[in-house]
Amino acid sequence: MQVIATAGHVDHGKTTLLRALTGMDPDRWEEERRRGLTIDLGYAWLTLPSGQRIAFVDVPGHERFVPNMLAGVGPVPAVLFVVAADEGWMPQSAEHLAVVDALGIGHGLLVVTRADLADPAPALAQAAAVIRRSSLGSVEAVAVSAVTGTGMPHLVAALDRLAAGLPGPDPGAAVRLWVDRAFSVAGSGTVVTGTLPAGTVHQADELVVTPSMRPVRVRGIQTLGEPAPAVAGAARTALNLRGVSRDKLARGMALVSAGRWTMTEVIDVRVSSAMPGSPAADAPAAAPPGAIPDTAASAAGAAGAEAGPAAGRAPRPAGLCGDLAARLPRTMTVHIGSARTVARIRPLGGRHVRLSLRDPLPLHAGDRILLRDPGAARTPITVTGIGQVAAAADRRTAARAAPGDSGAAVSGAAASGTAASGAAASGTGESGTGESGTGDRKSLPALLGGIVLDVTPPPLTRRGAAASAARELAAWPDQPTATQLLRRAGLLRASALLAMGIRDHPAPVTGEWLADPDYWARLTSRLGEVVAAHAAREPLAAGMPVDAARAALQLPDRRLVEALVKPPLRIQDGLIQVAARGRGGAALPEAINAAVRVLRADLAASPFLAPDADRLRRLGLDARAIAAAERAGLLLRVSDQIVLAPGADSEAAGILADLPQPFTAAQARQALNTTRRIAIPLLEYLDRKGITQRLPDDRRQLKSG
């Protein structure tokens, strides 16, 4: 299946064309059918001669319903651009093309309707020239009449060629289904519909509703009116959900794969210089009648379609230049998929801005968004009151053989409930005016495209940070890679990168942590400095606690510190130490060195008569000082209370070897010329060291070897 949206000026026959093409009427509302005016999104589908199925999203053409049009065209890969032969290029034609261009849609078909009312050649030449300067490039063009049937077989064949040339979406991609309708079905419960651009949804899958993050279970799937066990993008689909009521869902929400999208309220965006939207600026002079016959245009368009959209694209005008970001208003409306929300804009420089979104959105790096200035056009009206909206719309009533937008309800109208509002997930519309920026807004189009570069940008806290960010982002491609994102963030979890839409990444440094190589090298160097500084402040400390090092380096996980430790650093008992630190007492304060020299002088004459606690206190040797001297190799700590000179254990073993084996503790005490207070802890120390072995009768013997 492929999904194609209509586009074009109001009353140019988009709905009539789909009705003639599919035998279905996309208009779903009574007011739409009564007034012949498409207000909300409509849907129809067709099976082509090749067997390929096409789902159509019919969008309203009236300028007051642009938000509804954006909700329909956002997730689709191709458009059916409709221009009437008797009117040619019109203001909403330009606005719809600006939307298509801003979204970067590169595949489409130009259909000139009402060929029975006027020569289609001038309109076809005019429209093709404008479209060629957009992201669509050179598209195949067909002239038709939905009333007489002229050109309809050519249109079906062109659709087959278009569908065959569309890229195949990744069935393993993360699911993001923007909700465009939500309703209840008796006996089934809550149902949502939307366009699935990529990925696969299976029955019984668990998805997450954004922005509430409520988990839901897929109870059933329908696509093109038929039940299915699974649906893969691109496709129009309806999902029957378990775990959520109808009143908790609305247009602009999304169903997403858990853990595969970043819910964000702050993003860095590259604003595209949108193609000029003025019909006067865009449209060339009309070609004389008969300049491009219908059949010739179709053949020329087919050749262009085979060459691909980029190959046939004409050079585009210079468009906006200079510091575009500084000329934007302070607030704009952001559209993506069927969602819209308000964003405050902070210029970074050049074409780069930081957007602070009123409502969080599930985004990937590389996503395309639309930015609209609600103060640059009439306030749009959403589908909150169909009768009032339709009454407010002004439609031309000139009699024609076939009205441009009319029909009966789409299949599935028996479902109870109402369609979701055209408002965003927040449930509110746009303001009538945008706050003015510092630049000249009169030269800015009302609609601009944007490419999301970073969904979790770092805060701008220091002077010059915005300009620095703009310089950095200017070197990024439209689809950032793990390299750019890691260079900016320093550290990222692999799961966070996956939620940004990046699957390919370097090997983790530890666990699922990924690091920019240069940042990791700086951290390694910085860790050595931090440990050295700690040793200078705390000369008696056994080492620097790992968590203290983590805090000093401002790292989120102690495992990162452990991965940074390399010789001469080591980790022992949760402390980071310098392996060769302090040998010979060089690292000890002079007061400690002096006390140790006095103590060792005492032990020189009686090596096994350890000083008591009072003597140690008078020497200034507390537990920390003794531990530091032991690490420096200046003392042997037998127990918390017994301290001897280094090598006393080996000397004791030599003396005990001369005793009859096995020997008692009393014999050992006498041989060592010491007291029981010292002999028992010393013998236990020798047991632990494997020098002696304690027997069941409490006697001991030296271990052989």
Side-chain angles (χ1 to χ4, degrees):
M1 185 196 307
Q2 295 291 353
V3 183
I4 300 175
T6 61
H9 192 73
V10 62
D11 204 29
H12 274 200
K14 298 184 293 296
T15 303
T16 299
L17 177 65
L18 292 187
R19 184 177 61 181
L21 190 63
T22 67
M24 304 172 64
D25 198 319
D27 281 340
R28 299 179 291 114
W29 299 98
E30 177 59 33
E31 288 292 336
E32 291 178 309
R33 296 193 296 270
R34 182 170 65 84
R35 293 180 176 271
L37 175 69
T38 297
I39 298 170
D40 197 13
L41 302 177
Y43 313 97
W45 52 87
L46 171 70
T47 300
L48 297 170
S50 64
Q52 176 72 269
R53 296 189 300 173
I54 301 290
F56 294 99
V57 180
D58 189 30
V59 304
H62 198 283
E63 62 183 345
R64 304 188 75 173
F65 308 126
V66 169
N68 294 343
M69 179 269 182
L70 296 176
V73 77
V76 303
V79 294
L80 199 66
F81 209 97
V82 177
V83 177
D86 56 336
E87 290 191 348
W89 197 255
M90 296 292 284
Q92 289 309 113
S93 304
E95 182 164 13
H96 281 207
L97 184 60
V99 170
V100 170
D101 183 69
L103 289 172
I105 297 175
H107 301 270
L109 191 61
L110 170 61
V111 182
V112 177
T113 57
R114 299 210 286 261
D116 56 318
L117 299 182
D119 180 5
L124 190 150
Q126 181 188 38
V130 180
I131 290 173
R132 188 162 52 247
R133 296 158 59 188
S134 74
S135 61
L136 289 173
S138 294
V139 297
E140 185 172 357
V142 181
V144 302
S145 169
V147 175
T148 66
T150 301
M152 295 301 288
H154 295 292
L155 175 57
V156 171
L159 284 169
D160 232 336
R161 289 189 290 272
L162 174 63
L166 292 177
D170 179 6
V175 169
R176 181 176 60 183
L177 181 76
W178 293 107
V179 175
D180 52 40
R181 282 196 300 159
F183 50 89
S184 298
V185 176
S188 296
T190 304
V191 176
V192 297
T193 68
T195 299
L196 180 65
T200 304
V201 178
H202 297 86
Q203 193 169 341
D205 276 357
E206 184 174 273
L207 300 174
V208 176
V209 179
T210 65
S212 67
M213 306 309 291
R214 178 196 298 267
V216 295
R217 185 76 63 181
V218 178
R219 184 179 181 181
I221 300 173
Q222 276 198 4
T223 179
L224 305 189
E226 300 174 354
V231 59
R236 284 292 305 173
T237 186
L239 303 181
N240 182 200
L241 302 178
R242 179 186 293 116
V244 63
S245 60
R246 156 68 187 89
D247 60 355
K248 300 297 184 183
L249 297 168
R251 175 175 293 175
M253 296 181 179
L255 297 176
V256 301
S257 302
R260 297 292 300 275
W261 298 87
T262 300
M263 289 298 298
T264 180
E265 298 178 37
V266 180
I267 53 177
D268 281 352
V269 172
R270 175 176 294 144
V271 180
S272 62
S273 298
M275 61 177 298
S278 167
D282 280 348
I292 304 182
D294 182 14
T295 54
S298 297
E306 291 173 4
R313 185 181 304 168
R316 295 179 61 173
L320 303 173
C321 59
D323 195 351
L324 172 61
R327 298 161 60 200
L328 297 177
R330 292 191 183 97
T331 61
M332 295 186 79
T333 301
V334 174
H335 295 259
I336 181 170
S338 63
R340 62 173 172 158
T341 188
V342 175
R344 293 194 64 84
I345 296 178
R346 176 171 181 177
L348 299 177
R351 295 193 293 132
H352 299 92
V353 297
R354 176 158 295 183
L355 303 185
S356 297
L357 307 175
R358 181 186 61 192
D359 308 296
L361 294 172
L363 298 177
H364 276 172
D367 271 342
R368 287 185 175 266
I369 62 173
L370 293 175
L371 294 169
R372 291 182 69 234
D373 180 3
R378 291 185 181 92
T379 304
I381 299 179
T382 59
V383 193
T384 54
I386 293 298
Q388 295 175 351
V389 170
D394 182 18
R395 181 182 184 273
R396 286 182 295 274
T397 57
R400 289 192 176 100
D405 293 290
S406 62
V410 74
S411 174
S416 62
T418 59
S421 167
S426 61
T428 59
E430 296 168 312
S431 61
T433 60
E435 296 181 46
S436 175
T438 57
D440 179 13
R441 291 176 57 199
K442 292 183 179 180
S443 63
L444 290 172
L447 185 145
L448 292 167
I451 299 172
V452 178
L453 297 179
D454 195 347
V455 293
T456 56
L460 304 174
T461 55
R462 56 181 177 80
R463 185 183 296 273
S468 177
R471 288 191 297 270
E472 180 182 27
L473 295 173
W476 286 22
D478 287 347
Q479 179 58 67
T481 65
T483 299
Q484 283 103 28
L485 291 168
L486 281 171
R487 185 180 300 129
R488 193 179 205 202
L491 293 168
L492 286 171
R493 293 181 185 270
S495 58
L497 207 58
L498 183 64
M500 296 178 190
I502 310 298
R503 292 195 240 182
D504 296 329
H505 55 73
V509 292
T510 183
E512 66 162 349
W513 284 105
L514 311 171
D516 172 65
D518 292 339
Y519 180 67
W520 191 250
R522 292 195 299 271
L523 281 177
T524 302
S525 175
R526 178 75 179 124
L527 177 62
E529 297 169 1
V530 165
V531 172
H534 180 272
R537 291 192 309 270
E538 302 285 345
L540 302 183
M544 186 175 193
V546 172
D547 281 329
R550 181 196 61 76
L553 297 177
Q554 297 181 322
L555 295 176
D557 192 330
R558 63 177 286 138
R559 290 179 299 174
L560 291 167
V561 179
E562 294 168 353
L564 285 168
V565 172
K566 299 288 188 298
L569 300 182
R570 68 181 181 188
I571 295 179
Q572 184 172 346
D573 300 327
L575 300 173
I576 305 174
Q577 303 170 341
V578 179
R581 173 177 173 264
R583 287 296 173 190
L588 294 179
E590 180 54 33
I592 303 300
N593 279 325
V596 169
R597 286 195 293 270
V598 171
L599 178 58
R600 294 198 42 183
D602 292 345
L603 293 170
S606 301
F608 303 108
L609 286 177
D612 58 19
D614 187 57
R615 172 66 170 164
L616 293 174
R617 180 181 56 78
R618 290 197 303 270
L619 289 174
L621 293 175
D622 59 12
R624 295 183 67 204
I626 292 172
E630 180 188 28
R631 289 192 299 273
L634 301 179
L635 291 176
L636 173 66
R637 184 167 55 172
V638 174
S639 69
D640 290 341
Q641 302 296 324
I642 305 301
V643 180
L644 300 175
D649 51 348
S650 299
E651 185 178 352
I655 294 173
L656 296 176
D658 294 334
L659 293 176
Q661 303 294 316
F663 54 86
T664 65
Q667 290 173 318
R669 176 183 62 77
Q670 292 173 355
L672 296 173
N673 192 26
T674 186
T675 66
R676 182 176 177 81
R677 179 184 71 88
I678 299 168
I680 297 302
L682 178 57
L683 290 172
E684 291 174 347
Y685 177 84
L686 296 175
D687 291 341
R688 292 194 301 271
K689 297 287 287 183
I691 297 174
T692 58
Q693 179 182 10
R694 185 176 181 179
L695 302 176
D697 60 1
D698 284 340
R699 291 187 298 170
R700 286 176 171 83
Q701 64 182 15
L702 249 63
K703 285 189 174 180
S704 58

